Amino acid sequence: MSKMSSTIEKTNCDTLASVAASLATTTAGVAVKEIETLKQALQEKQNQLLAMETVCIRESERQVELEDSIIAWQDKYDRLYESHKRVQKVNQSLEDKLLKLVDRNSGERAQLTGDVATLSIRLAQANFNIAKLQREIERYKADISLAIQLLHCKPDSFLPQKVSALPLDIQSKVSAYMRLETNSHSDSESSITGVGVTTTAAYKVLPASDSPPPAPCPFPPTAMVYSMRGLGKC
């Protein structure tokens, strides 16, 4: 019995040893696999960390570029803002000047409108006076034509006027005219004979305010200067 029990115990010990060995082998294989898996996972994590570090470096460089760009755009914005303020001031000044010009032009326009209205009235009055004077001229022409016809028909019916019988202002004008005619006639004769003679006709016409009022004359105006006695009767 003791031998059998010892044999059984020995068998059990061998079985336990083999089981333990198999368990140890299995555990070692599992541990190796786990270690390999962990190494692989660690390598992947390291690769991910390297990729993330590379991305971070790139993003840092890009951030630096963006900061430089932001600084440049901020500088441009500041310059544009200053330019905008200057242009706004200039526009305000120009607007004020334009408003002043509009006000001044409005006043000048109103003044010119009044001047045009006044000149239009004066022009109408001048046209009326011109028409009136033209009618008077036509009437005087008709009177002179009638007087000349009467002188041509009956020259003996009218007395010739002498220069001394004329009013003073008419006498001065007639004397001056006669002197001018005499001087021009003598100048023409001297130019024909080749002798140059310079004559100066100095005369003075009395103003209408200093001369006495002319006496009424019963004869036509043309009979005051011209004598028609040399003409034959009609």
Side-chain angles (χ1 to χ4, degrees):
M1 291 293 292
S2 60
K3 288 182 179 180
M4 287 180 66
S5 59
S6 61
T7 303
I8 291 170
E9 288 179 359
K10 186 177 181 181
T11 303
N12 290 332
C13 288
D14 293 336
T15 303
L16 289 172
S18 62
V19 170
S22 62
L23 288 174
T25 304
T26 304
T27 304
V30 172
V32 170
K33 288 182 180 180
E34 289 180 356
I35 290 170
E36 292 294 332
T37 303
L38 291 173
K39 285 182 178 180
Q40 187 176 0
L42 181 61
Q43 186 66 33
E44 291 177 356
K45 294 296 182 181
Q46 287 179 353
N47 292 332
Q48 290 179 359
L49 288 174
L50 290 174
M52 291 178 67
E53 287 179 357
T54 305
V55 171
C56 288
I57 292 171
R58 291 178 181 176
E59 291 295 330
S60 298
E61 293 176 354
R62 185 179 179 185
Q63 184 178 2
V64 172
E65 293 177 356
L66 289 175
E67 288 178 355
D68 295 337
S69 178
I70 289 171
I71 292 172
W73 282 107
Q74 184 68 33
D75 188 22
K76 290 181 180 179
Y77 173 78
D78 293 336
R79 290 199 301 269
L80 288 174
Y81 184 69
E82 293 296 330
S83 299
H84 173 70
K85 290 195 294 185
R86 289 195 298 269
V87 170
Q88 190 174 7
K89 289 181 181 179
V90 172
N91 288 336
Q92 185 66 34
S93 177
L94 292 175
E95 186 177 357
D96 295 337
K97 290 181 180 179
L98 183 61
L99 291 175
K100 290 180 181 179
L101 287 174
V102 168
D103 294 336
R104 187 176 65 184
N105 290 333
S106 299
E108 291 179 355
R109 182 179 179 182
Q111 184 179 0
L112 289 175
T113 303
D115 294 341
V116 168
T118 303
L119 292 175
S120 299
I121 295 172
R122 291 181 180 178
L123 180 61
Q125 185 67 31
N127 290 330
F128 176 76
N129 293 333
I130 289 171
K132 183 178 179 181
L133 291 174
Q134 286 179 350
R135 289 194 297 270
E136 291 181 357
I137 288 171
E138 294 296 332
R139 183 167 58 84
Y140 290 154
K141 284 182 179 180
D143 293 342
I144 291 173
S145 178
L146 179 61
I148 291 174
Q149 289 178 5
L150 291 174
L151 288 173
H152 285 174
C153 292
K154 294 181 179 181
D156 293 334
S157 299
F158 302 96
L159 295 176
Q161 288 285 342
K162 296 181 179 180
V163 177
S164 60
L166 297 174
L168 295 178
D169 56 344
I170 303 298
Q171 289 182 19
S172 61
K173 292 180 181 180
V174 171
S175 300
Y177 179 76
M178 292 175 66
R179 285 197 298 271
L180 286 175
E181 288 292 330
T182 304
N183 292 333
S184 61
H185 184 66
S186 61
D187 290 340
S188 62
E189 289 181 353
S190 62
S191 62
I192 292 173
T193 56
V195 179
V197 179
T198 303
T199 59
T200 303
Y203 59 91
K204 180 179 181 182
V205 179
L206 294 175
S209 60
D210 297 334
S211 61
C217 182
F219 305 107
T222 53
M224 293 190 300
V225 180
Y226 300 100
S227 176
M228 306 300 294
R229 287 188 177 276
L231 298 175
K233 294 182 180 180
C234 294

